[in-house]
Amino acid sequence: MSQTETPTPSNFIRNIIQEDVKTNKRGGRVVTRFPPEPNGYLHIGHAKSICLNFGMAAEFGGRCNLRFDDTNPLKEEMEYVESIKEDVRWLGFDWEDREYYASDYFGQLYSFAVQLIEQGHAYVDSLSAEEIREYRGTLTEPGKESPYRNRSATENLDLFERMRAGEFEDGAHVLRVKIDMTSGNLNLRDPTIYRIRKTSHDRTGDRWVIYPMYDYTHCLSDSLEGITHSLCTLEFEDHRPLYDWVLKTLAVYRPQQIEFARLNLSFTLLSKRKLIQLVEGGYVSGWDDPRMPTIQGFRRRGFTPQSIRTFCDRIGVAKRDSIVDLALLEHCLREDLNKSAPRVMGVLKPLKVVIVNYPEEKVEELEAINNPEEPAAGVRQVPFCRELYIERNDFMEDPPKKFFRLAPGREVRLRYAYFIRCEEVIKDADGNIVEVRCTYDPTTRGGDAPDGRKVKATLHWVSARHAIDAEVRLYDRLFNHPHPGGGKTDYTEHINPKSLTVLTDCKLEPSLASAEPESRYQFERLGYFCADRWDSQPGRPAFNRAVTLRDQWAKIAKKGGS
Ligand code: ATP
Ligand code: MG
């Protein structure tokens, strides 16, 4: 079996869940969650997490919650919440009525903090942020205890209550849990669980001026929702002891945190922070620029939800970090569109062809196959007449040895139509080729010669009289380096200056006049194209090239042998 057909591999998370279900751990329930922070748009890395969380829940008859981790009012916006919901739905997943927000738990989280203070497990610290950092120590040096660490519970309760009431300015105090300032795990050196932030919050308004920190919020949100398996990325491995400590100390229900390797993709940046820089720096047109690795970007580019889900299946889930080849994602799209996308003809860089022996007024409707992979897709008629367009680079006046397409005196096939022979080349005053005159052989209708003579090339074409005008955008990788910003280089130095080519003079077959936004086609010989979600209009479509037809992954897989 070739590598490109490898069935979905099993993974260690599935194995853990399977075992838990078998042993009836936590009543055999499976409840997962996808917990985005609404501080940016989702990217393909998030798709991996979405497919894993929703996928595992579905596989084991469980549920997956959508939970917004909205604890930082400075960076979060409702625009992001809306886009995240749209993206998860578009990928094909449904959280039903389980749309949760960490901010809905602020009241409960506050009560838990009070409980920790009362039990002597938390204290208000009045060191400055900088001092806290100094006292924290390093990987090689233990930390130092804060002079405020031994405040009485009564004093702590009073201060915490007043922090909540807004008596203090940002940074005056924080609430920390009391664990161990000498722990080898820095996350256990009395981590801060609350800070003052006098900023209003999209959902809670001005009700709160203190906000809980991520580590404290996340484990309790999981607990409150009855999550069974809390799947997160590897960088949280060192946070797991804190996750467990908080829940154990409060004696509440304890989910199991399991870490997996995040997705890294070659030629791609996957960090919201950097993606925001690309948007704000004007390197791309927005979060949904078709060159962006966001779900919105891939969608606009022409990727199908299925292709992204297949990709997430194929890459599997592992414990160790690795870098996935972008070519695999593109391969998954080609594989999907090869089955589903109708074939059409479009000429991106037109060169006029006049068939001198074809009657001036005549129009023939020629039968074209919609999808050779899908007989049920049927056929359509494409108009043929005396003046046509072919691709400029399908003609050469003085062809090198290996060029088999149209050239003076040479005969080629026009797809679904006739053999034509180039008789004359017309140039303008500057010597540019503006038109090619040909003759056609009427006996070759449908594309074959009754006398059995062969041609070495088949060209796509459109009828000049019937063609519709269109803009087509050719996208290439945003970065021209497999690891943008790798080493010490600034990633902007790896931006591919040729990542976008806009062609405004394209000629498409008339059936595309009614192309629906987001509909995808294979332009024969050129690649897969998608009618732009926003810019495409009836009669005046705009297409984005999703991928070319050249499948680098299939080549790699073949070479790798199997
Ligand atoms: P980024 O690093 O891009 O800012 P994040 O981890 O801060 O991402 P969150 O909104 O916190 O973004 O992520 C939501 C969920 O998606 C988390 O469970 C996180 O672990 C997961 N996730 C984020 N990036 C990846 C990735 N590259 N691969 C797999 N899962 C990811
Ligand atoms: Mg995060």
Side-chain angles (χ1 to χ4, degrees):
M1 189 186 302
S2 87
Q3 205 169 326
T4 56
E5 290 159 6
T6 312
T8 308
S10 194
N11 68 59
F12 76 99
I13 292 181
R14 177 182 286 119
N15 296 344
I16 292 173
I17 299 179
Q18 219 153 26
E19 189 61 24
D20 289 349
V21 169
K22 208 162 78 189
T23 59
N24 212 32
K25 196 166 168 183
R26 298 188 194 84
R29 288 177 311 125
V30 175
V31 186
T32 57
R33 83 288 170 266
F34 173 62
E37 183 181 352
N39 62 350
Y41 282 69
L42 296 183
H43 53 61
I44 185 84
H46 294 113
K48 173 175 178 173
S49 176
I50 293 167
C51 291
L52 178 64
N53 279 293
F54 281 93
M56 286 298 125
E59 202 173 313
F60 291 96
R63 304 175 265 126
C64 179
N65 300 346
L66 175 62
R67 183 201 313 142
F68 292 97
D69 240 314
D70 57 345
T71 51
N72 184 355
L74 289 179
K75 290 190 187 158
E76 296 158 3
E77 287 170 28
M78 287 314 278
E79 176 196 344
Y80 298 137
V81 169
E82 291 310 318
S83 76
I84 289 168
K85 290 200 276 185
E86 183 179 332
D87 289 351
V88 175
R89 246 182 243 122
W90 181 78
L91 280 172
F93 299 105
D94 185 2
W95 57 93
E96 297 170 326
D97 58 349
R98 298 178 310 281
E99 178 176 323
Y100 300 125
Y101 294 81
S103 57
D104 292 342
Y105 308 135
F106 281 173
Q108 282 157 291
L109 297 178
Y110 182 83
S111 307
F112 282 128
V114 167
Q115 191 182 325
L116 287 171
I117 294 172
E118 285 169 347
Q119 294 171 348
H121 294 301
Y123 62 98
V124 173
D125 196 356
S126 311
L127 291 179
S128 67
E130 200 178 315
E131 288 166 323
I132 289 179
R133 220 173 299 125
E134 277 169 25
Y135 275 65
R136 195 160 180 243
T138 62
L139 281 173
T140 49
E141 279 169 60
K144 263 193 324 198
E145 294 187 356
S146 163
Y148 302 101
R149 196 174 198 255
N150 294 311
R151 277 174 164 153
S152 70
T154 320
E155 189 184 354
N156 282 321
L157 283 175
D158 173 60
L159 284 170
F160 189 49
E161 174 55 39
R162 286 160 59 197
M163 280 166 67
R164 179 197 186 166
E167 269 188 47
F168 309 113
E169 293 313 306
D170 289 16
H173 306 284
V174 294
L175 184 70
R176 301 175 70 174
V177 283
K178 200 186 274 189
I179 309 181
D180 180 3
M181 288 307 290
T182 64
S183 172
N185 184 340
L186 269 71
N187 295 299
L188 296 181
R189 294 187 187 170
D190 292 9
T192 296
I193 61 167
Y194 266 94
R195 60 185 169 186
I196 303 170
R197 269 261 194 290
K198 292 194 165 168
T199 306
S200 71
H201 184 284
D202 276 327
R203 289 179 60 87
T204 58
D206 295 320
R207 218 173 319 142
W208 294 92
V209 294
I210 55 172
Y211 290 95
M213 303 293 285
Y214 174 85
D215 278 329
Y216 175 72
T217 309
H218 197 83
C219 57
L220 284 167
S221 306
D222 280 351
S223 177
L224 290 167
E225 289 175 20
I227 300 299
T228 55
H229 300 84
S230 178
L231 313 179
C232 63
T233 38
L234 276 183
E235 69 272 22
F236 290 101
E237 196 166 13
D238 290 345
H239 298 237
R240 181 167 13 106
L242 177 56
Y243 184 104
D244 290 337
W245 183 93
V246 170
L247 300 181
K248 195 168 159 217
T249 305
L250 286 166
V252 292
Y253 165 79
R254 209 168 357 140
Q256 180 183 1
Q257 174 177 307
I258 306 170
E259 308 86 19
F260 64 94
R262 62 170 47 228
L263 169 67
N264 300 303
L265 249 195
S266 62
F267 297 96
T268 309
L269 285 180
L270 293 182
S271 140
K272 276 184 278 191
R273 192 175 53 80
K274 290 180 185 159
L275 298 181
I276 286 177
Q277 290 168 0
L278 289 172
V279 172
E280 291 182 346
Y283 296 102
V284 293
S285 66
W287 284 101
D288 70 347
D289 185 300
R291 290 164 295 178
M292 287 285 273
T294 50
I295 308 289
Q296 294 270 333
F298 282 118
R299 174 175 180 178
R300 197 165 168 199
R301 174 102 168 229
F303 278 69
T304 57
Q306 182 61 56
S307 65
I308 294 177
R309 292 200 306 264
T310 303
F311 169 75
C312 291
D313 263 5
R314 295 253 175 96
I315 58 177
V317 182
K319 261 276 182 209
R320 280 235 321 269
D321 270 316
S322 65
I323 297 174
V324 175
D325 197 326
L326 179 57
L328 174 60
L329 176 59
E330 295 168 346
H331 168 80
C332 292
L333 178 64
R334 288 189 187 96
E335 200 178 50
D336 188 20
L337 291 182
N338 180 46
K339 280 180 274 164
S340 61
R343 274 53 168 175
V344 292
M345 291 195 286
V347 173
L348 301 185
K349 295 177 187 161
L351 171 64
K352 184 171 264 185
V353 169
V354 178
I355 302 180
V356 293
N357 60 338
Y358 196 87
E360 194 98 35
E361 294 307 321
K362 184 171 173 182
V363 177
E364 279 177 278
E365 295 288 338
L366 302 176
E367 188 170 290
I369 295 166
N370 286 332
N371 187 348
E373 301 289 322
E374 176 57 66
V379 295
R380 69 186 184 289
Q381 307 297 317
V382 285
F384 182 90
C385 62
R386 181 181 159 93
E387 295 196 355
L388 313 167
Y389 292 112
I390 63 167
E391 220 54 76
R392 209 159 250 289
N393 62 11
D394 278 337
F395 176 81
M396 280 186 94
E397 191 179 17
D398 189 12
K401 248 198 177 126
K402 290 202 164 156
F403 185 89
F404 299 115
R405 291 164 277 164
L406 196 62
R410 172 111 33 102
E411 193 172 46
V412 296
R413 173 190 289 115
L414 292 180
R415 182 87 159 134
Y416 302 121
Y418 297 98
F419 284 12
I420 58 168
R421 182 185 306 279
C422 173
E423 309 287 355
E424 192 186 352
V425 180
I426 311 289
K427 296 181 181 175
D428 65 12
D430 299 326
N432 301 311
I433 298 170
V434 292
E435 185 181 306
V436 174
R437 302 223 162 147
C438 298
T439 49
Y440 86 117
D441 176 353
T443 69
T444 58
R445 186 178 154 131
D448 282 314
D451 65 6
R453 81 183 185 279
K454 298 288 180 212
V455 289
K456 286 200 171 136
T458 299
L459 309 186
H460 62 275
W461 54 273
V462 293
S463 154
R465 199 185 312 163
H466 303 90
I468 54 165
D469 295 316
E471 178 175 301
V472 176
R473 300 87 175 251
L474 304 182
Y475 293 100
D476 201 345
R477 295 169 174 184
L478 184 55
F479 294 100
N480 52 22
H481 192 280
H483 314 295
K488 288 195 185 106
T489 321
D490 171 3
Y491 68 81
T492 57
E493 284 173 30
H494 289 147
I495 287 185
N496 172 11
K498 292 187 194 135
S499 63
L500 170 60
T501 309
V502 180
L503 303 173
T504 50
D505 186 29
C506 307
K507 305 286 184 184
L508 309 182
E509 69 167 70
S511 72
L512 289 171
S514 57
E516 291 286 334
E518 294 200 75
S519 52
R520 306 171 185 92
Y521 298 87
Q522 184 193 104
F523 287 10
E524 293 207 28
R525 300 176 63 227
L526 298 175
Y528 292 101
F529 292 75
C530 177
D532 190 87
R533 208 178 155 192
W534 312 121
D535 303 336
S536 203
Q537 284 163 26
R540 179 77 191 162
F543 278 94
N544 302 327
R545 183 176 69 194
V547 281
T548 62
L549 294 175
R550 215 171 315 123
D551 193 336
Q552 291 176 18
W553 181 259
K555 256 192 231 154
I556 296 166
K558 218 184 212 166
K559 234 193 259 160
S562 47

